[in-house]
Amino acid sequence: QVQLVESGGGVVQPGRSLRLSCAASGFTFSSYGMHWVRQAPGKGLEWVAVIWYDGSNKYYADSVKGRFTISRDISKNTLYLQMNGLRAEDTAVYYCARAWKEYCSGGSCSGGMDVWGQGTTVTVSS
Amino acid sequence: QSALTQPASVSGSPGQSITISCTGTSSDVGGYHFVSWYQQHPGKAPKLMIYDVSNRPSGVSNRFSGSKSGNTASLTISGLQAEDEADYYCSSYTSSSTLGFGGGTKLTVL
């Protein structure tokens, strides 16, 4: 079945780095744009980043721009989020999610995310 | 970054209809057809309920409908059921090529 499984979360000190992974299965990973979305404890959803189906474009929330990098490895059907310079405010559950539209570009990558992982928890604390 | 405005809470009795609003600007909700709605139960991942303003994914009940007028999008749930009690989030593409979420609305079924 169509599935996304995140991993790589944990407890990390401020300023350190962490890389999250999202393993995709049950669909043609290379045909879909992918997002990272996070949710701080007791708070709402916050979009983090998107990568188009072909990896040609990547966009980031202002809160993570310059610190986080989204990427994908088609050969491994895996999405990544490299997080550098972590701050306490980055503490959250991180979800990967699939854009509903195949071969999306521009706004069509953001019309809806139809498959979500279960989330991985990142805690930034000294 | 886009910050869409939703009511913090709404409530309704079983069988009734409720509407959740999502207000943005011409740079997000009003400017694009890329508005979506998500349902989230406690401790669970969000679930897509509406995409591209008014389309329902396969498997989502037709009691859920979406619309947009100007800078405000709306999610309507008819025939409220106990299982509809959850948090609901809207999102919209923005002119910065980013995505913004609303603050979320807690739906209580009385």
Side-chain angles (χ1 to χ4, degrees):
Chain A
Q1 74 279 24
V2 175
Q3 193 173 11
L4 297 171
V5 179
E6 301 96 336
S7 61
V11 179
V12 61
Q13 294 179 327
R16 302 299 290 263
S17 299
L18 206 59
R19 188 179 80 160
L20 306 183
S21 300
C22 168
S25 60
F27 65 98
T28 305
F29 180 65
S30 59
S31 299
Y32 289 88
M34 298 294 296
H35 295 260
W36 285 100
V37 176
R38 68 185 181 183
Q39 188 168 33
K43 302 297 185 182
L45 301 174
E46 180 187 14
W47 176 79
V48 173
V50 63
I51 183 169
W52 290 10
Y53 74 96
D54 58 359
S56 62
N57 282 279
K58 308 170 186 179
Y59 297 96
Y60 300 89
D62 287 345
S63 58
V64 307
K65 196 176 299 182
R67 300 187 299 125
F68 290 11
T69 302
I70 188 172
S71 63
R72 63 195 302 163
D73 186 333
I74 301 302
S75 67
K76 296 182 178 179
N77 283 350
T78 301
L79 176 74
Y80 299 102
L81 185 68
Q82 177 66 44
M83 304 185 295
N84 298 332
L86 283 162
R87 306 167 180 168
E89 53 264 37
D90 295 320
T91 294
V93 174
Y94 284 74
Y95 296 100
C96 61
R98 185 184 83 169
W100 77 268
K101 185 177 174 60
E102 273 191 292
Y103 306 112
C104 71
S105 62
S108 67
C109 290
S110 297
M113 293 171 266
D114 65 340
V115 180
W116 293 66
Q118 84 288 350
T120 188
T121 301
V122 174
T123 302
V124 183
S125 173
S126 54
Chain B
Q1 215 97 62
S2 173
L4 309 178
T5 300
Q6 299 180 231
S9 63
V10 298
S11 63
S13 299
Q16 289 186 329
S17 294
I18 63 96
T19 297
I20 300 172
S21 61
C22 172
T23 301
T25 69
S26 59
S27 295
D28 39 63
V29 174
Y32 305 94
H33 207 64
F34 304 119
V35 176
S36 53
W37 290 90
Y38 301 88
Q39 176 191 67
Q40 188 180 35
H41 287 108
K44 301 293 188 180
K47 175 185 177 183
L48 179 65
M49 306 304 285
I50 296 290
Y51 67 93
D52 289 354
V53 175
S54 58
N55 296 285
R56 263 189 324 274
S58 173
V60 171
S61 170
N62 60 9
R63 297 186 298 105
F64 292 82
S65 62
S67 63
K68 189 184 80 164
S69 177
N71 296 336
T72 299
S74 299
L75 173 71
T76 297
I77 309 174
S78 59
L80 268 180
Q81 299 180 0
E83 68 215 45
D84 299 332
E85 185 162 296
D87 292 326
Y88 291 85
Y89 296 90
C90 65
S91 73
S92 174
Y93 180 69
T94 83
S95 59
S96 302
S97 302
T98 59
L99 182 70
F101 277 102
T105 298
K106 181 178 181 60
L107 169 62
T108 300
V109 180
L110 302 170

